[in-house]
Amino acid sequence: MRPRESLTSLVLTAPATLALVIFVFLPVAVVFLLAFTNYQIGAPGLGWVGLDNFEQLFGSRLGRNALLNTLTYVAIVIPASVGLGLLVALGLHALARSMPRLSDVLKAVYFLPVAATLVAMAVSWQMLLHPSLGLINTWSSALGLPAPLWLSDRGLVLYTLSAIGIWQSVGYNMVLFLAGLAAIPPALYDAAEVDGATGGWSRFWLVTWPMLGPTTLFVLVVTAASAFRVFETVATLTKGGPAFASDTIVYALYREGFVYFKAGYASAITVVFFLALLLLTALQVWVIERKVHYR
Amino acid sequence: MKTSLLALGLALAAGSAAADTTLRVHYAIPTIWADTQAALAEAFMAAHPDVTIELDGPAEGYAEGVQRLLRESVAGTAPDVAWVGLNLWRVLEARDLAQPLDAFLPEDPEAQGYTGALLSLGRFENTQYALGTSASTLVAYVNPDLVERAGGSMENFPTDYDGIIELAAKIDALDATIEGVWVSPHDWRFQSFLGAHGGRPMTENESDITFDSDAGVAAATVYSRFASEAGMSTMGQNDARQAFPAGTLGIMFESSSLMTRFAEGAGERFDMTVTPMPIVAADEEVYLPTGGSGIVMLTDDAEKQQAAWDYISFVTSPEAQKIIVETTGYAPTNALVVEDASYLGDFYAQNPNARVAHAQVAQYAGPWYAYPGAEGVAVTDVIAADLLGVVEGADPREAVENLAETTRSMLGFN
Amino acid sequence: MNDILQSAPHTDLPALSLRGVSKRFGEAEVVSDFSLDLYAGEFVALLGASGSGKSTTLRMLAGLERPSSGQVLMGGVDVTDLRPAARNIALMFQSYALYPHLTVRQNIATPLRQALLSAAARLPGAALLSAKTRETEAAINSRTQSVAQMLRLDGLLDRKPGQLSGGQQQRVALARALVRDPSAFLLDEPLSNLDTALRHTTREEIRDLHRRTGHAFLLVTHDQADALSMADRIAVMIAGRVAQCAPAADIYHRPATREVARFIGAHRMNIFSPGPEAASLHPRGAQDDIGIRPEALHIDPKGPLSATLQCAAFHGEETLLHLRSDSGAELLAVTDGSAPLPPQGSKMRFAAPAARLHCFDAATGIRKEIAA
């Protein structure tokens, strides 16, 4: 490139680059530095504490509890949400042939939780799950079933939040799977039919499932990323309680940083979380390139 | 608005009478405070035409408010005066942001209505950093219908914990969906029961935890007995705050600041009644930690400080306190306004529940202890978690002793 | 090497036939009263423009589509209600429709695995548990191997389709279709995704394959060059019906209808409506349509046909002349590429040998034989 052109390119990219550096890279760098300090928001000074913050996250009861809760939540939400999303998509895809109207209505119904504001939805959930006034317990009492404390029993709360997390993400996964299904060349199903894969199950294994490979991986990563980030439901419904039973990593981050004002420790959590998501994304890119696109 | 325009006109007419000062004021919880703050600012500016009050956009809650103040102080854009939660001004004090007020206080604070109890709300190590502007203490909200269905009556409403537990057990037995009593396992509620038993959470100089005293065990035992004898459930705070106005909860210990909300929620369904906390220890040993808001001075500009003090002393004066009480439902933090019937006599005649709560504040108000240091807020969550353990069946003495040890180590007391 | 590909014994009955088959999608009738017989060892092309219903016909033959009425017979047996796999018909798709996640070996073996192994035995590792499964797997493997060898795929067996060229993919699709030893072999536009050079060699390969296997082949194509060069018989399909079914030379030289005449041939046939101009070419032109292929017209100063040269397109060995006849009709003529041409706008005269004139009923478009 001639010097004049290079100069023009530089001038053109400069504002965006500058904004990126100032608003993204610089703050990230500051967070990485703060993670090794005991800085408190508003405090006049700070001290270098090395790896203490990370030790606290992985070593303390509260830190490990938040990590474990998050892993439990993720372990429930990912398979359930991806599996249900696939099932619903398969069902609606098939239904679209015989009853397109009904299929469209159901699609909208399943997608509603994705489009709705989660905080507003959380209020509805709270009313539904109220131990004595809520619709769910009113019905279950009427049927003679136990009326559990869905959001304030420490043995139950994480599963309740997981169920809400699933409810919230199934519609999104469904849409992604529907797009994946629509992209499968119909000729492949014809080929399967001619080759003797006539049953629904053999068709699924021979064509649908392998052809959904890239979609499934993408859905898995997207679901994992959002499941690891679970925050809104925790913040609005339980505030991590009762007794930290639903404390998750991002809620802990918020709690430590913005309720306890421990910016250093919160930064350390952010760094760990950031690296974990980075790893997840890298894994996705890697696997997609190697495996799922059948190259 | 009209008055402020008038004041502005007067100020202009007077020419350069005094250098005009603008005070930036921070407050939180606009759902409760927005109208009140506007009325206060208007009244103040009418009396002080040379000072303009500029209200910052309010923060959603006290915690968010303090976060914002901390951020603004880092950026050098902090306001001059701030209304903060009574449990949170210590955060500002610890960072040297709150200015001492002793130099401004009148010679005889008592005569102005600043009683020792009220001053204690904003005092630390013999220095006054904040003045209370509105107060609330723990009271018992009662559903008289359920009390009567359980064979009791409001005339003979029990005044001790034994009686309340017995009554609550009867209410709880009425129906599967009806609960007898509920109180949140929470630091402030626990401090209230502790104070009612004559205990304190920390030593005077904040160098050691003292809630593992007999009073502390007794306070935890209240939780334990509520659960084991009166069937108290572990439902969350939001659930309970819905259940009580809905009429499915007999007795609820909650902040007096919720009075208006509960009264509106209950509506015609039942005649919500407020009763005072049962006091166990001798009066001079008792205090009830006081929630609500206080006001701090953040500006270090000498000239602005005088204007800021004028504003602070105005909002804590009987005239302003009358406005606050009438518009927010909080208890006042100036003794004169309660003692002198000319201020709120009519109000109390119409709101007997408010009188119960406000009398309790006037009699027993004490500081809401904030634990010192970096882990100060974190400790309160740990306390809440262990109290839940007590509700779920842990031995109160053992739990309180373990909790004290955990707390000491978190705060670096040993 | 071909012993495994011996086809079913010849019988007098057609290997595959359609009897009065129609197919309607809603209001639209895509295929109307279609009948066709395909005998063992025969290579038939179904030629038609896009939208002529040829793909639907193919799908009905394969069993992917059910006829709205009519019958599909195989060796005289009604298979109308049988699914594709049960008919044992091989189908090669235009897009090849290879399973992208399977290797070439697995792709070719799929029809055999589906037919010979149960769902449980198809699971990975099933062969470790059952000796019978192992035996079947071995048979499948050797069969796969030999078909692959025949199509020169032996070196590519462990590749994925994505790593193959278009021609290689096409051979994999052929192999997958052949591996089951089908009683009939349907090819849907097999050459449309190949470049010109590859088309020529592949035509030869497919013909060769047909010769070696002896199966009944049905080729569906829109490209008459493919049909003319490969098939023994061509069924020309127009608007859902067979307009003519005959050997390639017959179709070209004796088109049964005006539509077939226009459709077949590298250049569109000139058709003269009844009138003095048509009559000047042949007396029947007074009441019938007269057709002349552009390649049958030659420049002749004494010829009966007079036209103005609009433009000339040089194509190397030949030159295409766009003309306007004196009556205003647009005409095409092909001349030798080396012939000298007058400037544009010049009047030219043409003649055509009587033997190469075609006569069609003006109303029905049906061919009328005329004496040479």
Side-chain angles (χ1 to χ4, degrees), chain B residues 90-129:
Chain B
R90 285 284 300 278
V91 173
L92 301 174
E93 179 272 324
R95 289 160 173 79
D96 294 332
L97 297 173
Q99 303 296 323
L101 299 174
D102 302 85
F104 299 100
L105 280 173
E107 295 269 322
D108 181 10
E110 197 90 24
Q112 307 279 327
Y114 303 128
T115 61
L118 291 169
L119 286 178
S120 75
L121 302 181
R123 210 166 174 76
F124 175 61
E125 290 186 332
N126 288 322
T127 308
Q128 196 72 34
Y129 291 101

Side-chain angles (χ1 to χ4, degrees), chain A residues 42-96:
Chain A
L46 64 135
W48 191 260
V49 295
L51 290 172
D52 279 10
N53 287 329
F54 296 95
E55 220 174 285
Q56 196 187 343
L57 174 59
F58 292 105
S60 74
R61 191 170 63 93
L62 268 189
R64 275 208 297 249
N65 171 62
L67 290 173
L68 193 69
N69 282 346
T70 309
L71 290 178
T72 311
Y73 179 89
V74 166
I76 297 170
V77 169
I78 294 182
S81 164
V82 173
L84 281 175
L86 177 61
L87 272 181
V88 171
L90 287 172
L92 292 185
H93 189 68
L95 193 67

Side-chain angles (χ1 to χ4, degrees), chain C residues 36 41 54 70 80 98 206 209 220 227 246-247 249 275 337 346 371:
Chain C
L36 180 74
K54 59 186 191 303
T80 316
L98 299 176
I206 290 177
L209 201 63
V220 164
S346 310

